Amino acid sequence: MNIISTHNLTKHYGKSRGIIGLNLSVPEGEIFGFIGPNGAGKSTTIRTLLGLIKPTSGSAQIFDRDIVREKDPILSQIGYMPSEAMFYSGMRVGDIIRTSASLHKKDCSAQAKELCERLQLDVKKRVDELSLGNRKKVSIVCALQHSPRLYILDEPTSGLDPLMQKEFFTLLKERHKDGATIFLSSHVLSEIARYCSRAAIIREGKLIAQDTMEALSSRTNARRITLGGTTAVPQLNGIKHTVPGDNSVSFLFQGDIKELLSELSKLPLTDLTITEPDLEEIFMHFYMSAHDCEQ
């Protein structure tokens, strides 16, 4: 079952591009990554899914409910964390957390207390006194305290120090183990690679890839080759992203492996390593391929 489904979902801001013809599917019970640089359309997609802005055309369902006609019952089962943590000036942290819980008509005091302790968040402070990282912590508590079925998180770790990032993902893994679905929007590729089983890549408002992490890797049909004992690069088609080292060189290869091995046999190698491309290389492959198709 897909917990999120979109069908040609489109949002324009006047003549400006928002998102175009998105067909997105997020299976229930997964940690799903939504990848793209700033301005690619990630936040517009999320705000449209949540009913914060109306789509120009197309449709979307969450929990098999239409996001326009059935927004209220959908939102009651979602924990949303926006990319920017903004709160009413002068309010204390504890008041914000209680106000957020009251919107869900639930007693979340026990969960909120545990979350604040784990995130080292002082509930007595006013939001005006908080750093960006501590405002992010308030957003985390508000998104998690009512234990929803679906978490939609937009750039959730920006501003958090490394220790809090680790604790945050520990919390997410616990919620996921309990059956929740997590939609993680990020431009931090290492987060997606480490925690997500599936991902979609968005470029200039359009989805350009969507699959399991393993399938996205295999679709590049490329390998990272590292040579020791030489800095020479074989003169073959399909070699890109060359990185020289100290008496070594590595490159991404997308071509005939037999031709490559034939050329490598002519070099004074002391070591040869062949690995899968990392997520950054996969991401750049799809981005550059999409760009080439538009030329």
Side-chain angles (χ1 to χ4, degrees):
M1 171 185 170
N2 287 329
I3 206 162
I4 298 175
S5 297
T6 72
H7 308 279
N8 295 320
L9 189 65
T10 298
K11 175 62 183 178
H12 292 300
Y13 299 101
K15 295 183 179 179
S16 300
R17 183 267 303 159
I19 53 175
I20 305 168
L22 260 61
N23 291 297
L24 184 68
S25 58
V26 179
E28 185 172 12
E30 288 198 348
I31 303 180
F32 189 95
F34 195 43
I35 317 170
N38 291 332
K42 301 190 304 298
S43 293
T44 295
T45 301
I46 287 174
R47 290 168 184 158
T48 306
L49 288 174
L50 294 170
L52 300 176
I53 53 179
K54 289 186 176 181
T56 303
S57 62
S59 63
Q61 294 77 38
I62 298 180
F63 313 125
D64 284 331
R65 294 173 179 265
D66 185 84
I67 60 167
V68 175
R69 297 192 302 270
E70 302 175 272
K71 181 174 72 172
D72 290 346
I74 289 173
L75 293 180
S76 68
Q77 301 179 73
I78 291 177
Y80 168 52
M81 189 174 170
S83 57
E84 296 183 8
M86 306 293 289
F87 305 102
Y88 289 116
S89 178
M91 291 186 72
R92 295 189 186 277
V93 170
D95 295 332
I96 292 170
I97 293 171
R98 284 188 290 273
T99 299
S100 176
S102 70
L103 296 175
H104 297 283
K105 299 179 173 62
K106 293 180 67 175
D107 179 5
C108 304
S109 54
Q111 281 274 15
K113 184 175 184 295
E114 179 188 348
L115 289 167
C116 289
E117 288 173 353
R118 291 179 64 171
L119 295 170
Q120 302 173 23
L121 181 61
D122 186 349
V123 297
K124 296 180 181 178
K125 282 194 173 183
R126 297 186 185 277
V127 291
D128 311 74
E129 304 170 337
L130 299 181
S131 64
L132 171 60
N134 281 318
R135 291 200 302 275
K136 279 284 188 176
K137 293 177 187 179
V138 178
S139 287
I140 293 170
V141 176
C142 291
L144 271 62
Q145 64 176 338
H146 58 294
S147 300
R149 288 176 60 192
L150 171 64
Y151 296 92
I152 296 182
L153 312 170
D154 192 359
E155 305 289 354
T157 58
S158 61
L160 293 178
D161 65 49
L163 286 176
M164 284 299 106
Q165 289 181 22
K166 182 178 179 181
E167 184 62 27
F168 171 69
F169 280 110
T170 298
L171 286 166
L172 289 190
K173 287 188 288 185
E174 291 171 0
R175 299 302 173 97
H176 178 245
K177 186 177 179 180
D178 289 337
T181 304
I182 298 166
F183 185 84
L184 177 63
S185 172
S186 180
H187 64 266
V188 182
L189 298 182
S190 60
E191 293 179 351
I192 303 297
R194 188 174 299 123
Y195 299 107
C196 298
S197 54
R198 289 169 53 87
I201 301 174
I202 188 170
R203 180 182 188 272
E204 296 183 358
K206 298 178 181 179
L207 283 186
I208 57 174
Q210 180 179 198
D211 217 322
T212 64
M213 302 304 294
E214 293 81 3
L216 289 174
S217 176
S218 66
R219 283 169 61 186
T220 65
N221 192 29
R223 296 293 181 269
R224 169 59 61 179
I225 311 294
T226 303
L227 309 179
T230 182
T231 57
V233 178
Q235 300 302 304
L236 291 172
N237 292 329
I239 290 178
K240 57 183 73 174
H241 304 308
T242 301
V243 180
D246 183 13
N247 198 30
S248 67
V249 66
S250 71
F251 50 85
L252 205 63
F253 180 68
Q254 193 173 14
D256 188 328
I257 194 69
K258 291 181 180 179
E259 289 184 7
L260 175 65
L261 292 174
S262 175
E263 290 299 311
L264 293 182
S265 67
K266 304 172 185 177
L267 299 175
L269 301 181
T270 59
D271 192 22
L272 168 64
T273 304
I274 303 176
T275 60
E276 297 285 338
D278 61 27
L279 183 58
E280 183 174 358
E281 291 168 329
I282 295 168
F283 177 81
M284 290 306 299
H285 165 80
F286 282 108
Y287 249 59
M288 295 307 295
S289 297
H291 176 74
D292 292 342
C293 289
E294 292 170 1
Q295 299 303 309

Short mmCIF file of all heavy atoms in Angstrom, two decimals, residues 1-7 9 24-29 44-53 59-80 148-153 181-183:
data_model
loop_
_atom_site.label_atom_id
_atom_site.label_comp_id
_atom_site.label_asym_id
_atom_site.label_seq_id
_atom_site.Cartn_x
_atom_site.Cartn_y
_atom_site.Cartn_z
N MET A 1 0.85 -1.20 0.00
CA MET A 1 0.00 0.00 0.00
C MET A 1 0.88 1.25 0.00
O MET A 1 1.85 1.33 0.74
CB MET A 1 -0.89 0.02 1.24
CG MET A 1 -1.65 1.31 1.45
SD MET A 1 -2.56 1.31 3.02
CE MET A 1 -3.08 3.03 3.07
N ASN A 2 0.52 2.21 -0.86
CA ASN A 2 1.22 3.49 -0.86
C ASN A 2 0.57 4.44 0.13
O ASN A 2 -0.65 4.64 0.09
CB ASN A 2 1.20 4.11 -2.26
CG ASN A 2 2.11 3.40 -3.22
OD1 ASN A 2 3.14 2.86 -2.80
ND2 ASN A 2 1.76 3.37 -4.49
N ILE A 3 1.36 5.00 1.02
CA ILE A 3 0.80 5.94 1.99
C ILE A 3 0.72 7.34 1.39
O ILE A 3 -0.11 8.16 1.79
CB ILE A 3 1.61 5.91 3.29
CG1 ILE A 3 0.75 6.35 4.47
CG2 ILE A 3 2.88 6.75 3.18
CD1 ILE A 3 1.30 5.95 5.82
N ILE A 4 1.57 7.63 0.39
CA ILE A 4 1.49 8.88 -0.38
C ILE A 4 1.47 8.52 -1.86
O ILE A 4 2.30 7.73 -2.32
CB ILE A 4 2.69 9.81 -0.10
CG1 ILE A 4 2.76 10.24 1.36
CG2 ILE A 4 2.64 11.05 -1.01
CD1 ILE A 4 4.00 11.05 1.70
N SER A 5 0.52 9.07 -2.61
CA SER A 5 0.46 8.89 -4.05
C SER A 5 0.09 10.22 -4.70
O SER A 5 -0.84 10.89 -4.26
CB SER A 5 -0.60 7.85 -4.44
OG SER A 5 -0.27 6.58 -3.92
N THR A 6 0.83 10.60 -5.72
CA THR A 6 0.48 11.80 -6.48
C THR A 6 0.31 11.43 -7.95
O THR A 6 0.95 10.50 -8.44
CB THR A 6 1.54 12.92 -6.34
OG1 THR A 6 2.72 12.55 -7.08
CG2 THR A 6 1.91 13.14 -4.88
N HIS A 7 -0.56 12.18 -8.63
CA HIS A 7 -0.87 11.91 -10.04
C HIS A 7 -0.79 13.23 -10.81
O HIS A 7 -1.66 14.09 -10.69
CB HIS A 7 -2.26 11.28 -10.17
CG HIS A 7 -2.45 10.09 -9.28
ND1 HIS A 7 -1.98 8.84 -9.59
CD2 HIS A 7 -3.02 9.99 -8.05
CE1 HIS A 7 -2.27 8.00 -8.62
NE2 HIS A 7 -2.91 8.67 -7.66
N LEU A 9 0.82 15.82 -10.26
CA LEU A 9 0.67 16.95 -9.34
C LEU A 9 1.50 18.14 -9.81
O LEU A 9 2.71 18.01 -10.05
CB LEU A 9 1.10 16.53 -7.93
CG LEU A 9 0.79 17.53 -6.81
CD1 LEU A 9 -0.71 17.70 -6.63
CD2 LEU A 9 1.43 17.08 -5.51
N LEU A 24 4.44 10.55 -7.74
CA LEU A 24 5.24 10.10 -6.61
C LEU A 24 4.50 9.01 -5.86
O LEU A 24 3.29 9.12 -5.64
CB LEU A 24 5.51 11.29 -5.68
CG LEU A 24 6.41 11.10 -4.47
CD1 LEU A 24 7.85 10.85 -4.91
CD2 LEU A 24 6.35 12.36 -3.59
N SER A 25 5.19 7.96 -5.45
CA SER A 25 4.57 6.91 -4.65
C SER A 25 5.49 6.53 -3.50
O SER A 25 6.65 6.21 -3.71
CB SER A 25 4.26 5.68 -5.51
OG SER A 25 5.43 5.17 -6.12
N VAL A 26 4.94 6.58 -2.29
CA VAL A 26 5.70 6.28 -1.07
C VAL A 26 5.03 5.11 -0.37
O VAL A 26 3.93 5.26 0.18
CB VAL A 26 5.76 7.50 -0.14
CG1 VAL A 26 6.54 7.15 1.14
CG2 VAL A 26 6.40 8.69 -0.85
N PRO A 27 5.64 3.93 -0.38
CA PRO A 27 5.03 2.76 0.28
C PRO A 27 4.95 2.95 1.79
O PRO A 27 5.82 3.58 2.40
CB PRO A 27 5.98 1.62 -0.09
CG PRO A 27 6.73 2.11 -1.29
CD PRO A 27 6.86 3.59 -1.11
N GLU A 28 3.92 2.37 2.38
CA GLU A 28 3.76 2.44 3.82
C GLU A 28 4.89 1.68 4.52
O GLU A 28 5.34 0.64 4.06
CB GLU A 28 2.41 1.84 4.24
CG GLU A 28 2.11 2.00 5.71
CD GLU A 28 0.69 1.58 6.07
OE1 GLU A 28 0.03 0.96 5.22
OE2 GLU A 28 0.26 1.87 7.19
N GLY A 29 5.37 2.25 5.62
CA GLY A 29 6.36 1.58 6.45
C GLY A 29 7.79 1.78 6.01
O GLY A 29 8.70 1.11 6.52
N THR A 44 7.89 22.93 -2.01
CA THR A 44 6.61 23.15 -2.69
C THR A 44 5.80 21.84 -2.73
O THR A 44 4.59 21.84 -2.49
CB THR A 44 6.84 23.66 -4.12
OG1 THR A 44 7.44 24.95 -4.07
CG2 THR A 44 5.51 23.77 -4.88
N THR A 45 6.48 20.73 -3.01
CA THR A 45 5.80 19.43 -3.00
C THR A 45 5.20 19.16 -1.63
O THR A 45 4.02 18.76 -1.52
CB THR A 45 6.79 18.31 -3.36
OG1 THR A 45 7.35 18.57 -4.66
CG2 THR A 45 6.10 16.95 -3.37
N ILE A 46 5.97 19.35 -0.59
CA ILE A 46 5.51 19.05 0.76
C ILE A 46 4.34 19.96 1.16
O ILE A 46 3.34 19.49 1.70
CB ILE A 46 6.68 19.20 1.76
CG1 ILE A 46 7.64 18.01 1.59
CG2 ILE A 46 6.18 19.29 3.20
CD1 ILE A 46 8.90 18.12 2.42
N ARG A 47 4.45 21.23 0.88
CA ARG A 47 3.37 22.16 1.25
C ARG A 47 2.09 21.86 0.49
O ARG A 47 0.99 22.04 1.02
CB ARG A 47 3.83 23.60 1.00
CG ARG A 47 4.91 24.05 1.98
CD ARG A 47 5.56 25.34 1.55
NE ARG A 47 6.66 25.70 2.45
CZ ARG A 47 7.66 26.50 2.11
NH1 ARG A 47 7.70 27.05 0.90
NH2 ARG A 47 8.61 26.76 2.98
N THR A 48 2.24 21.38 -0.74
CA THR A 48 1.05 20.99 -1.51
C THR A 48 0.43 19.73 -0.92
O THR A 48 -0.79 19.64 -0.77
CB THR A 48 1.42 20.76 -2.99
OG1 THR A 48 2.07 21.93 -3.50
CG2 THR A 48 0.18 20.49 -3.82
N LEU A 49 1.25 18.76 -0.56
CA LEU A 49 0.76 17.52 0.04
C LEU A 49 0.01 17.79 1.34
O LEU A 49 -0.99 17.12 1.65
CB LEU A 49 1.91 16.55 0.31
CG LEU A 49 2.55 15.87 -0.89
CD1 LEU A 49 3.78 15.07 -0.46
CD2 LEU A 49 1.55 14.96 -1.60
N LEU A 50 0.47 18.77 2.09
CA LEU A 50 -0.14 19.08 3.39
C LEU A 50 -1.35 20.00 3.28
O LEU A 50 -1.97 20.32 4.29
CB LEU A 50 0.91 19.71 4.32
CG LEU A 50 2.06 18.80 4.74
CD1 LEU A 50 3.13 19.62 5.44
CD2 LEU A 50 1.56 17.69 5.64
N GLY A 51 -1.66 20.43 2.07
CA GLY A 51 -2.80 21.33 1.90
C GLY A 51 -2.52 22.76 2.29
O GLY A 51 -3.44 23.57 2.42
N LEU A 52 -1.24 23.10 2.50
CA LEU A 52 -0.89 24.48 2.85
C LEU A 52 -1.01 25.39 1.64
O LEU A 52 -1.23 26.59 1.78
CB LEU A 52 0.53 24.52 3.43
CG LEU A 52 0.75 23.68 4.69
CD1 LEU A 52 2.22 23.74 5.11
CD2 LEU A 52 -0.14 24.16 5.83
N ILE A 53 -0.82 24.82 0.45
CA ILE A 53 -1.06 25.53 -0.80
C ILE A 53 -1.83 24.60 -1.72
O ILE A 53 -1.70 23.38 -1.64
CB ILE A 53 0.25 26.00 -1.49
CG1 ILE A 53 1.23 24.82 -1.67
CG2 ILE A 53 0.91 27.12 -0.71
CD1 ILE A 53 2.52 25.20 -2.37
N SER A 59 -3.57 15.57 -8.78
CA SER A 59 -4.17 15.18 -7.51
C SER A 59 -3.15 14.44 -6.65
O SER A 59 -2.10 14.01 -7.14
CB SER A 59 -5.39 14.28 -7.74
OG SER A 59 -4.99 13.07 -8.38
N ALA A 60 -3.49 14.28 -5.38
CA ALA A 60 -2.63 13.53 -4.47
C ALA A 60 -3.48 12.94 -3.36
O ALA A 60 -4.51 13.51 -2.97
CB ALA A 60 -1.55 14.44 -3.88
N GLN A 61 -3.05 11.79 -2.90
CA GLN A 61 -3.74 11.11 -1.80
C GLN A 61 -2.72 10.74 -0.72
O GLN A 61 -1.60 10.32 -1.05
CB GLN A 61 -4.44 9.82 -2.28
CG GLN A 61 -5.60 10.03 -3.24
CD GLN A 61 -5.13 10.34 -4.65
OE1 GLN A 61 -4.14 9.78 -5.12
NE2 GLN A 61 -5.83 11.24 -5.32
N ILE A 62 -3.12 10.91 0.51
CA ILE A 62 -2.37 10.43 1.66
C ILE A 62 -3.34 9.58 2.48
O ILE A 62 -4.47 10.02 2.74
CB ILE A 62 -1.80 11.58 2.50
CG1 ILE A 62 -0.82 12.41 1.68
CG2 ILE A 62 -1.12 11.04 3.77
CD1 ILE A 62 -0.20 13.58 2.43
N PHE A 63 -2.92 8.38 2.86
CA PHE A 63 -3.81 7.40 3.51
C PHE A 63 -5.05 7.13 2.65
O PHE A 63 -6.15 6.93 3.16
CB PHE A 63 -4.28 7.89 4.90
CG PHE A 63 -3.19 8.44 5.78
CD1 PHE A 63 -3.29 9.72 6.31
CD2 PHE A 63 -2.07 7.69 6.09
CE1 PHE A 63 -2.31 10.23 7.14
CE2 PHE A 63 -1.08 8.19 6.92
CZ PHE A 63 -1.19 9.47 7.44
N ASP A 64 -4.87 7.16 1.33
CA ASP A 64 -5.98 6.96 0.38
C ASP A 64 -7.05 8.04 0.50
O ASP A 64 -8.19 7.83 0.07
CB ASP A 64 -6.62 5.57 0.56
CG ASP A 64 -5.76 4.47 -0.01
OD1 ASP A 64 -5.01 4.75 -0.98
OD2 ASP A 64 -5.81 3.35 0.51
N ARG A 65 -6.71 9.19 1.04
CA ARG A 65 -7.65 10.32 1.15
C ARG A 65 -7.14 11.47 0.28
O ARG A 65 -5.93 11.71 0.20
CB ARG A 65 -7.78 10.80 2.59
CG ARG A 65 -8.42 9.79 3.55
CD ARG A 65 -8.33 10.32 4.98
NE ARG A 65 -8.95 9.42 5.96
CZ ARG A 65 -10.19 9.53 6.40
NH1 ARG A 65 -10.97 10.48 5.93
NH2 ARG A 65 -10.65 8.69 7.29
N ASP A 66 -8.05 12.18 -0.32
CA ASP A 66 -7.68 13.31 -1.17
C ASP A 66 -7.18 14.48 -0.33
O ASP A 66 -7.83 14.88 0.64
CB ASP A 66 -8.89 13.76 -2.00
CG ASP A 66 -8.53 14.85 -2.99
OD1 ASP A 66 -8.05 14.52 -4.09
OD2 ASP A 66 -8.71 16.03 -2.64
N ILE A 67 -6.05 15.03 -0.73
CA ILE A 67 -5.42 16.07 0.10
C ILE A 67 -6.21 17.38 0.11
O ILE A 67 -6.04 18.20 1.02
CB ILE A 67 -3.98 16.36 -0.37
CG1 ILE A 67 -3.96 16.83 -1.84
CG2 ILE A 67 -3.08 15.15 -0.16
CD1 ILE A 67 -2.64 17.42 -2.28
N VAL A 68 -7.05 17.61 -0.87
CA VAL A 68 -7.84 18.84 -0.90
C VAL A 68 -9.16 18.66 -0.14
O VAL A 68 -9.51 19.47 0.73
CB VAL A 68 -8.11 19.28 -2.35
CG1 VAL A 68 -9.04 20.50 -2.38
CG2 VAL A 68 -6.80 19.59 -3.07
N ARG A 69 -9.88 17.59 -0.43
CA ARG A 69 -11.21 17.39 0.16
C ARG A 69 -11.16 16.86 1.60
O ARG A 69 -12.11 17.07 2.37
CB ARG A 69 -12.04 16.44 -0.71
CG ARG A 69 -12.33 16.96 -2.11
CD ARG A 69 -13.39 16.10 -2.79
NE ARG A 69 -12.98 14.71 -2.88
CZ ARG A 69 -12.30 14.19 -3.91
NH1 ARG A 69 -11.94 14.98 -4.93
NH2 ARG A 69 -11.98 12.91 -3.93
N GLU A 70 -10.09 16.16 1.95
CA GLU A 70 -10.05 15.51 3.27
C GLU A 70 -8.79 15.89 4.05
O GLU A 70 -8.17 15.07 4.72
CB GLU A 70 -10.12 13.99 3.10
CG GLU A 70 -11.36 13.52 2.35
CD GLU A 70 -11.33 12.02 2.09
OE1 GLU A 70 -10.77 11.62 1.04
OE2 GLU A 70 -11.83 11.26 2.93
N LYS A 71 -8.46 17.17 3.99
CA LYS A 71 -7.22 17.65 4.60
C LYS A 71 -7.18 17.43 6.11
O LYS A 71 -6.16 16.97 6.65
CB LYS A 71 -7.03 19.13 4.29
CG LYS A 71 -5.73 19.71 4.86
CD LYS A 71 -5.50 21.12 4.41
CE LYS A 71 -6.45 22.09 5.08
NZ LYS A 71 -6.11 23.50 4.78
N ASP A 72 -8.26 17.74 6.82
CA ASP A 72 -8.23 17.68 8.29
C ASP A 72 -7.96 16.28 8.83
O ASP A 72 -7.08 16.11 9.70
CB ASP A 72 -9.53 18.24 8.88
CG ASP A 72 -9.63 19.75 8.69
OD1 ASP A 72 -8.59 20.37 8.35
OD2 ASP A 72 -10.73 20.31 8.87
N PRO A 73 -8.67 15.23 8.39
CA PRO A 73 -8.35 13.89 8.90
C PRO A 73 -6.96 13.41 8.50
O PRO A 73 -6.35 12.61 9.21
CB PRO A 73 -9.44 12.99 8.29
CG PRO A 73 -10.03 13.77 7.16
CD PRO A 73 -9.89 15.20 7.53
N ILE A 74 -6.45 13.91 7.38
CA ILE A 74 -5.08 13.56 6.98
C ILE A 74 -4.07 14.18 7.94
O ILE A 74 -3.18 13.50 8.46
CB ILE A 74 -4.80 14.04 5.54
CG1 ILE A 74 -5.56 13.21 4.52
CG2 ILE A 74 -3.30 13.97 5.23
CD1 ILE A 74 -5.47 13.71 3.10
N LEU A 75 -4.22 15.47 8.20
CA LEU A 75 -3.25 16.18 9.04
C LEU A 75 -3.21 15.64 10.46
O LEU A 75 -2.17 15.72 11.14
CB LEU A 75 -3.55 17.68 9.04
CG LEU A 75 -3.34 18.40 7.71
CD1 LEU A 75 -3.68 19.88 7.85
CD2 LEU A 75 -1.90 18.23 7.22
N SER A 76 -4.32 15.08 10.94
CA SER A 76 -4.35 14.56 12.31
C SER A 76 -3.41 13.38 12.50
O SER A 76 -3.04 13.05 13.62
CB SER A 76 -5.78 14.15 12.68
OG SER A 76 -6.20 13.02 11.93
N GLN A 77 -2.99 12.74 11.39
CA GLN A 77 -2.14 11.57 11.47
C GLN A 77 -0.73 11.82 10.93
O GLN A 77 0.01 10.88 10.65
CB GLN A 77 -2.77 10.41 10.69
CG GLN A 77 -4.15 10.02 11.18
CD GLN A 77 -4.72 8.90 10.34
OE1 GLN A 77 -4.30 7.75 10.44
NE2 GLN A 77 -5.69 9.23 9.50
N ILE A 78 -0.37 13.11 10.78
CA ILE A 78 0.93 13.48 10.24
C ILE A 78 1.73 14.28 11.26
O ILE A 78 1.18 15.14 11.96
CB ILE A 78 0.77 14.30 8.94
CG1 ILE A 78 0.21 13.43 7.82
CG2 ILE A 78 2.11 14.91 8.51
CD1 ILE A 78 -0.04 14.17 6.53
N GLY A 79 3.01 14.01 11.33
CA GLY A 79 3.94 14.85 12.07
C GLY A 79 4.78 15.61 11.07
O GLY A 79 5.55 15.00 10.32
N TYR A 80 4.63 16.93 11.02
CA TYR A 80 5.29 17.75 10.00
C TYR A 80 6.36 18.62 10.65
O TYR A 80 6.12 19.26 11.68
CB TYR A 80 4.26 18.62 9.29
CG TYR A 80 4.84 19.71 8.41
CD1 TYR A 80 5.81 19.43 7.45
CD2 TYR A 80 4.41 21.04 8.54
CE1 TYR A 80 6.34 20.43 6.64
CE2 TYR A 80 4.93 22.04 7.73
CZ TYR A 80 5.89 21.74 6.78
OH TYR A 80 6.41 22.72 5.99
N PRO A 148 2.39 10.07 15.23
CA PRO A 148 1.56 9.91 14.02
C PRO A 148 1.97 8.70 13.19
O PRO A 148 3.01 8.09 13.42
CB PRO A 148 1.82 11.21 13.26
CG PRO A 148 3.22 11.57 13.65
CD PRO A 148 3.35 11.17 15.09
N ARG A 149 1.16 8.39 12.19
CA ARG A 149 1.46 7.29 11.25
C ARG A 149 2.53 7.70 10.24
O ARG A 149 3.27 6.86 9.74
CB ARG A 149 0.21 6.88 10.49
CG ARG A 149 -0.84 6.14 11.29
CD ARG A 149 -2.08 5.89 10.42
NE ARG A 149 -1.78 5.10 9.23
CZ ARG A 149 -2.63 4.93 8.22
NH1 ARG A 149 -3.83 5.53 8.25
NH2 ARG A 149 -2.30 4.18 7.17
N LEU A 150 2.56 9.00 9.91
CA LEU A 150 3.44 9.49 8.85
C LEU A 150 4.18 10.73 9.33
O LEU A 150 3.57 11.65 9.88
CB LEU A 150 2.61 9.83 7.61
CG LEU A 150 3.31 10.57 6.46
CD1 LEU A 150 4.41 9.72 5.85
CD2 LEU A 150 2.28 10.98 5.39
N TYR A 151 5.49 10.73 9.11
CA TYR A 151 6.31 11.91 9.40
C TYR A 151 6.77 12.52 8.08
O TYR A 151 7.33 11.81 7.23
CB TYR A 151 7.53 11.53 10.24
CG TYR A 151 7.18 10.99 11.60
CD1 TYR A 151 7.02 9.63 11.80
CD2 TYR A 151 7.00 11.84 12.68
CE1 TYR A 151 6.68 9.12 13.04
CE2 TYR A 151 6.66 11.34 13.94
CZ TYR A 151 6.51 9.99 14.11
OH TYR A 151 6.16 9.48 15.34
N ILE A 152 6.52 13.81 7.90
CA ILE A 152 7.00 14.53 6.73
C ILE A 152 7.98 15.58 7.22
O ILE A 152 7.60 16.54 7.91
CB ILE A 152 5.83 15.16 5.95
CG1 ILE A 152 4.91 14.06 5.39
CG2 ILE A 152 6.35 16.04 4.82
CD1 ILE A 152 3.74 14.57 4.56
N LEU A 153 9.24 15.40 6.88
CA LEU A 153 10.33 16.19 7.47
C LEU A 153 11.09 16.90 6.37
O LEU A 153 11.67 16.27 5.48
CB LEU A 153 11.26 15.26 8.26
CG LEU A 153 10.56 14.29 9.22
CD1 LEU A 153 11.54 13.28 9.77
CD2 LEU A 153 9.87 15.05 10.34
N THR A 181 5.75 5.57 8.80
CA THR A 181 6.38 5.89 7.52
C THR A 181 7.05 7.25 7.65
O THR A 181 6.50 8.16 8.27
CB THR A 181 5.34 5.93 6.40
OG1 THR A 181 4.65 4.68 6.36
CG2 THR A 181 5.99 6.18 5.05
N ILE A 182 8.24 7.38 7.06
CA ILE A 182 8.99 8.64 7.18
C ILE A 182 9.35 9.15 5.79
O ILE A 182 9.97 8.42 5.00
CB ILE A 182 10.26 8.44 8.03
CG1 ILE A 182 9.88 8.02 9.46
CG2 ILE A 182 11.09 9.73 8.06
CD1 ILE A 182 11.03 7.49 10.27
N PHE A 183 8.92 10.36 5.50
CA PHE A 183 9.23 11.03 4.23
C PHE A 183 10.27 12.10 4.55
O PHE A 183 9.96 13.12 5.17
CB PHE A 183 7.96 11.65 3.65
CG PHE A 183 8.13 12.27 2.29
CD1 PHE A 183 8.06 11.50 1.14
CD2 PHE A 183 8.36 13.64 2.16
CE1 PHE A 183 8.20 12.08 -0.12
CE2 PHE A 183 8.49 14.22 0.91
CZ PHE A 183 8.42 13.44 -0.23
#
